[in-house]
């Protein structure tokens, strides 16, 4: 079996959180399928807010001096990405949103093409599935193919959460299988192709300003 690397990123601010239990189960499943796994807790990193300065579009680097590049390098080196966040008022935690906002260049350059994603989420009452869907969609518009998600609403009881842990474990195994088999999802592939074409047109239109991204597209032989 080819070498595989899966990164799991937890954005709950609480230690030993329910979200992290789901993420840990998913990473355990991926590891069972012979993937190397990396488990990151976002609240261990200093990540500043994106200011929409366009520096990453123009130069490929960010002007903010923090630990975002450490996380980003691991993401780009990985074959699979599992994001985890609790539901904070119908969305991800602020830390996760900050991470995703810093990845705007990833959308333009479709840097996650060929990678696979999964997501897990918890909620005290409801909305966990919607948050997990948001996490997957965020990676999807960056190029990743979505394998699945697990959402657990704690209001539904302990047995439901136990089932969510088991489902997360299977999700991690499914993610590793998709990586190993290079699984193609035809409907997603059509959307990826359309998104890539849209980004080609955008970056070409802004080529005099977004010189780094334009050169990236040329190096990838997409232009």
């Amino acid at each position: 079996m080819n070498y595989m690397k899966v990164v799991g990123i937890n954005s709950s601010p609480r230690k030993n959180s329910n979200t992290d239990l789901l993420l840990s189960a998913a990473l355990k499943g991926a590891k069972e399928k012979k993937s190397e796994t990396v488990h990151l807790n976002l609240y261990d990193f200093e990540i500043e807010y994106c200011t929409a300065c366009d520096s990453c579009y123009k130069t490929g680097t960010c002007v903010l001096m923090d630990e975002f590049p450490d996380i980003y390098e691991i993401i780009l080196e990985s074959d699979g990405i599992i994001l985890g966040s609790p539901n904070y008022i119908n969305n991800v935690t602020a830390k996760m949103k900050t991470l995703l906002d810093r990845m705007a260049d990833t959308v333009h350059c479709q840097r996650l093409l060929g990678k696979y994603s999964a997501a897990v989420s918890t909620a005290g009452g409801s909305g966990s599935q919607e948050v997990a869907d948001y996490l997957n969609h965020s990676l999807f518009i960056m190029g990743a193919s979505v394998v699945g998600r697990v959402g657990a609403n704690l209001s539904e009881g302990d047995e439901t959460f136990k089932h969510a842990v088991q489902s997360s474990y299977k999700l991690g195994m499914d993610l590793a299988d998709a990586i190993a088999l290079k699984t193609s999802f035809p409907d997603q592939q059509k959307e990826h192709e359309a998104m890539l074409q849209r980004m080609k047109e955008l970056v070409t239109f802004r080529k005099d300003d977004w010189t780094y991204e334009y050169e990236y597209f040329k190096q990838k032989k997409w232009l």
Side-chain angles (χ1 to χ4, degrees):
M1 183 178 291
N2 293 332
Y3 168 81
M4 300 184 294
K5 183 174 182 179
V6 174
V7 59
I9 303 177
N10 168 43
S11 70
S12 172
R14 301 178 64 182
K15 298 295 183 183
N16 303 314
S17 67
N18 290 310
T19 299
D20 206 34
L21 287 175
L22 296 187
L23 182 63
S24 296
L27 289 173
K28 185 176 179 180
K31 194 170 185 178
E32 181 69 21
K33 289 285 187 170
K34 311 303 181 186
S35 297
E36 176 190 339
T37 60
V38 179
H39 191 157
L40 302 179
N41 290 299
L42 276 187
Y43 281 84
D44 291 337
F45 295 86
E46 182 66 31
I47 310 172
E48 299 294 333
Y49 300 125
C50 177
T51 62
C53 69
D54 283 9
S55 177
C56 57
Y57 307 159
K58 298 174 180 178
T59 69
T61 59
C62 183
V63 298
L64 300 175
M65 304 298 290
D66 59 12
E67 295 177 293
F68 168 76
D70 299 333
I71 300 172
Y72 193 48
E73 182 179 1
I74 293 172
I75 290 173
L76 294 182
E77 290 176 347
S78 298
D79 304 293
I81 304 143
I82 309 173
L83 299 183
S85 176
N87 176 5
Y88 275 23
I89 310 184
N90 298 321
N91 212 314
V92 298
T93 60
K95 199 80 169 183
M96 177 62 78
K97 187 63 168 66
T98 302
L99 173 69
L100 295 173
D101 286 347
R102 291 286 293 277
M103 295 175 68
D105 170 70
T106 318
V107 179
H108 285 183
C109 290
Q110 293 292 281
R111 293 182 186 275
L112 302 190
L113 282 170
K115 301 182 186 298
Y116 295 84
S117 83
V120 297
S121 178
T122 60
S126 62
S128 60
Q129 291 86 357
E130 290 82 356
V131 169
D133 286 339
Y134 171 80
L135 290 169
N136 269 331
H137 183 69
S138 297
L139 296 181
F140 176 76
I141 65 170
M142 299 175 190
S145 295
V146 176
V147 174
R149 52 95 159 136
V150 173
N153 298 322
L154 303 178
S155 58
E156 297 172 7
D158 292 344
E159 288 303 315
T160 297
F161 185 74
K162 289 179 183 178
H163 178 71
V165 172
Q166 295 168 354
S167 297
S168 296
Y169 177 78
K170 184 179 183 301
L171 177 61
M173 296 179 73
D174 291 343
L175 179 69
D177 283 340
I179 296 168
L181 298 172
K182 300 186 184 303
T183 302
S184 177
F185 303 96
D187 290 344
Q188 294 187 40
Q189 186 59 35
K190 288 181 181 178
E191 292 191 52
H192 285 318
E193 291 170 359
M195 186 67 165
L196 180 59
Q197 182 59 37
R198 178 184 169 192
M199 292 300 106
K200 284 181 188 178
E201 293 171 359
L202 175 62
V203 170
T204 300
F205 178 73
R206 297 293 303 272
K207 65 181 181 180
D208 292 336
D209 294 323
W210 298 351
T211 52
Y212 171 78
E213 291 188 339
Y214 184 67
E215 287 301 317
Y216 178 85
F217 270 75
K218 287 173 63 178
Q219 290 170 11
K220 296 289 287 186
K221 301 186 186 304
W222 288 344
L223 293 176

mmCIF file of all heavy atoms in Angstrom, residues 14 18-19 85-89 121-128 152-157:
data_model
loop_
_atom_site.group_PDB
_atom_site.id
_atom_site.type_symbol
_atom_site.label_atom_id
_atom_site.label_comp_id
_atom_site.label_asym_id
_atom_site.label_seq_id
_atom_site.Cartn_x
_atom_site.Cartn_y
_atom_site.Cartn_z
ATOM 1 N N ARG A 14 -11.953 23.255 24.357
ATOM 2 C CA ARG A 14 -11.987 22.477 25.583
ATOM 3 C C ARG A 14 -11.093 21.239 25.483
ATOM 4 O O ARG A 14 -11.076 20.561 24.457
ATOM 5 C CB ARG A 14 -13.424 22.038 25.897
ATOM 6 C CG ARG A 14 -14.377 23.198 26.068
ATOM 7 C CD ARG A 14 -15.787 22.727 26.315
ATOM 8 N NE ARG A 14 -15.885 21.989 27.584
ATOM 9 C CZ ARG A 14 -17.013 21.441 28.018
ATOM 10 N NH1 ARG A 14 -18.120 21.527 27.293
ATOM 11 N NH2 ARG A 14 -17.028 20.796 29.175
ATOM 12 N N ASN A 18 -15.879 16.518 23.478
ATOM 13 C CA ASN A 18 -16.616 15.516 22.708
ATOM 14 C C ASN A 18 -16.236 15.572 21.228
ATOM 15 O O ASN A 18 -16.145 14.537 20.566
ATOM 16 C CB ASN A 18 -18.123 15.733 22.880
ATOM 17 C CG ASN A 18 -18.594 15.389 24.266
ATOM 18 O OD1 ASN A 18 -18.301 14.320 24.783
ATOM 19 N ND2 ASN A 18 -19.342 16.292 24.895
ATOM 20 N N THR A 19 -16.009 16.775 20.729
ATOM 21 C CA THR A 19 -15.567 16.908 19.331
ATOM 22 C C THR A 19 -14.246 16.196 19.122
ATOM 23 O O THR A 19 -14.053 15.484 18.127
ATOM 24 C CB THR A 19 -15.432 18.397 18.954
ATOM 25 O OG1 THR A 19 -16.700 19.035 19.081
ATOM 26 C CG2 THR A 19 -14.941 18.543 17.522
ATOM 27 N N SER A 85 -15.196 20.489 14.660
ATOM 28 C CA SER A 85 -15.592 21.693 15.392
ATOM 29 C C SER A 85 -16.936 21.466 16.061
ATOM 30 O O SER A 85 -17.829 20.867 15.473
ATOM 31 C CB SER A 85 -15.713 22.898 14.453
ATOM 32 O OG SER A 85 -16.184 24.039 15.152
ATOM 33 N N PRO A 86 -17.086 21.987 17.280
ATOM 34 C CA PRO A 86 -18.434 22.020 17.861
ATOM 35 C C PRO A 86 -19.253 23.110 17.193
ATOM 36 O O PRO A 86 -18.708 23.978 16.508
ATOM 37 C CB PRO A 86 -18.168 22.344 19.333
ATOM 38 C CG PRO A 86 -16.880 23.110 19.315
ATOM 39 C CD PRO A 86 -16.071 22.523 18.195
ATOM 40 N N ASN A 87 -20.551 23.055 17.384
ATOM 41 C CA ASN A 87 -21.449 24.075 16.856
ATOM 42 C C ASN A 87 -21.507 25.242 17.831
ATOM 43 O O ASN A 87 -21.987 25.105 18.950
ATOM 44 C CB ASN A 87 -22.845 23.466 16.668
ATOM 45 C CG ASN A 87 -23.876 24.489 16.209
ATOM 46 O OD1 ASN A 87 -23.546 25.634 15.942
ATOM 47 N ND2 ASN A 87 -25.115 24.058 16.115
ATOM 48 N N TYR A 88 -21.005 26.389 17.393
ATOM 49 C CA TYR A 88 -21.088 27.618 18.186
ATOM 50 C C TYR A 88 -22.038 28.575 17.470
ATOM 51 O O TYR A 88 -21.644 29.242 16.505
ATOM 52 C CB TYR A 88 -19.708 28.253 18.346
ATOM 53 C CG TYR A 88 -18.890 27.694 19.493
ATOM 54 C CD1 TYR A 88 -19.125 26.430 20.017
ATOM 55 C CD2 TYR A 88 -17.865 28.433 20.052
ATOM 56 C CE1 TYR A 88 -18.377 25.917 21.061
ATOM 57 C CE2 TYR A 88 -17.097 27.936 21.110
ATOM 58 C CZ TYR A 88 -17.364 26.674 21.601
ATOM 59 O OH TYR A 88 -16.608 26.170 22.640
ATOM 60 N N ILE A 89 -23.283 28.604 17.879
ATOM 61 C CA ILE A 89 -24.323 29.435 17.274
ATOM 62 C C ILE A 89 -24.370 29.212 15.758
ATOM 63 O O ILE A 89 -24.106 30.102 14.947
ATOM 64 C CB ILE A 89 -24.175 30.925 17.621
ATOM 65 C CG1 ILE A 89 -24.015 31.104 19.132
ATOM 66 C CG2 ILE A 89 -25.403 31.714 17.153
ATOM 67 C CD1 ILE A 89 -23.960 32.538 19.611
ATOM 68 N N SER A 121 -18.516 16.864 13.963
ATOM 69 C CA SER A 121 -18.998 18.010 14.732
ATOM 70 C C SER A 121 -19.916 17.530 15.848
ATOM 71 O O SER A 121 -20.541 16.472 15.748
ATOM 72 C CB SER A 121 -19.757 18.982 13.824
ATOM 73 O OG SER A 121 -20.265 20.079 14.562
ATOM 74 N N THR A 122 -19.986 18.321 16.898
ATOM 75 C CA THR A 122 -20.917 18.068 17.997
ATOM 76 C C THR A 122 -21.726 19.319 18.277
ATOM 77 O O THR A 122 -21.307 20.437 17.935
ATOM 78 C CB THR A 122 -20.176 17.659 19.288
ATOM 79 O OG1 THR A 122 -19.289 18.724 19.670
ATOM 80 C CG2 THR A 122 -19.385 16.384 19.094
ATOM 81 N N ALA A 123 -22.883 19.123 18.904
ATOM 82 C CA ALA A 123 -23.714 20.251 19.318
ATOM 83 C C ALA A 123 -24.444 19.865 20.592
ATOM 84 O O ALA A 123 -24.803 18.708 20.791
ATOM 85 C CB ALA A 123 -24.722 20.597 18.229
ATOM 86 N N GLY A 124 -24.657 20.835 21.449
ATOM 87 C CA GLY A 124 -25.410 20.574 22.661
ATOM 88 C C GLY A 124 -26.854 20.249 22.354
ATOM 89 O O GLY A 124 -27.455 19.358 22.959
ATOM 90 N N GLY A 125 -27.409 20.963 21.376
ATOM 91 C CA GLY A 125 -28.809 20.744 21.021
ATOM 92 C C GLY A 125 -28.977 20.182 19.631
ATOM 93 O O GLY A 125 -29.371 19.044 19.437
ATOM 94 N N SER A 126 -28.648 20.991 18.622
ATOM 95 C CA SER A 126 -28.833 20.571 17.229
ATOM 96 C C SER A 126 -27.832 21.301 16.346
ATOM 97 O O SER A 126 -27.098 22.169 16.800
ATOM 98 C CB SER A 126 -30.257 20.889 16.766
ATOM 99 O OG SER A 126 -30.483 22.294 16.813
ATOM 100 N N GLY A 127 -27.805 20.926 15.080
ATOM 101 C CA GLY A 127 -26.978 21.632 14.105
ATOM 102 C C GLY A 127 -25.608 21.049 13.853
ATOM 103 O O GLY A 127 -24.830 21.602 13.066
ATOM 104 N N SER A 128 -25.283 19.921 14.490
ATOM 105 C CA SER A 128 -23.938 19.355 14.303
ATOM 106 C C SER A 128 -23.702 18.924 12.861
ATOM 107 O O SER A 128 -22.612 19.122 12.317
ATOM 108 C CB SER A 128 -23.721 18.175 15.247
ATOM 109 O OG SER A 128 -24.673 17.153 15.007
ATOM 110 N N ALA A 152 -22.925 14.811 15.878
ATOM 111 C CA ALA A 152 -23.526 14.251 17.088
ATOM 112 C C ALA A 152 -24.186 15.355 17.908
ATOM 113 O O ALA A 152 -23.508 16.287 18.346
ATOM 114 C CB ALA A 152 -22.473 13.540 17.928
ATOM 115 N N ASN A 153 -25.482 15.248 18.084
ATOM 116 C CA ASN A 153 -26.222 16.175 18.934
ATOM 117 C C ASN A 153 -26.339 15.546 20.322
ATOM 118 O O ASN A 153 -27.012 14.525 20.501
ATOM 119 C CB ASN A 153 -27.599 16.449 18.351
ATOM 120 C CG ASN A 153 -27.529 17.107 16.987
ATOM 121 O OD1 ASN A 153 -26.677 17.952 16.747
ATOM 122 N ND2 ASN A 153 -28.421 16.717 16.093
ATOM 123 N N LEU A 154 -25.681 16.130 21.294
ATOM 124 C CA LEU A 154 -25.597 15.531 22.624
ATOM 125 C C LEU A 154 -26.953 15.441 23.310
ATOM 126 O O LEU A 154 -27.148 14.614 24.204
ATOM 127 C CB LEU A 154 -24.610 16.318 23.484
ATOM 128 C CG LEU A 154 -23.192 16.430 22.884
ATOM 129 C CD1 LEU A 154 -22.305 17.255 23.790
ATOM 130 C CD2 LEU A 154 -22.589 15.050 22.667
ATOM 131 N N SER A 155 -27.896 16.257 22.891
ATOM 132 C CA SER A 155 -29.236 16.224 23.460
ATOM 133 C C SER A 155 -29.948 14.907 23.160
ATOM 134 O O SER A 155 -30.960 14.584 23.799
ATOM 135 C CB SER A 155 -30.065 17.382 22.912
ATOM 136 O OG SER A 155 -30.137 17.317 21.491
ATOM 137 N N GLU A 156 -29.418 14.150 22.208
ATOM 138 C CA GLU A 156 -30.061 12.895 21.823
ATOM 139 C C GLU A 156 -29.629 11.711 22.680
ATOM 140 O O GLU A 156 -30.075 10.580 22.458
ATOM 141 C CB GLU A 156 -29.790 12.625 20.342
ATOM 142 C CG GLU A 156 -30.403 13.691 19.433
ATOM 143 C CD GLU A 156 -29.996 13.547 17.976
ATOM 144 O OE1 GLU A 156 -29.350 12.538 17.648
ATOM 145 O OE2 GLU A 156 -30.342 14.431 17.175
ATOM 146 N N GLY A 157 -28.732 11.957 23.646
ATOM 147 C CA GLY A 157 -28.409 10.917 24.613
ATOM 148 C C GLY A 157 -27.074 10.231 24.398
ATOM 149 O O GLY A 157 -26.441 10.358 23.350
#
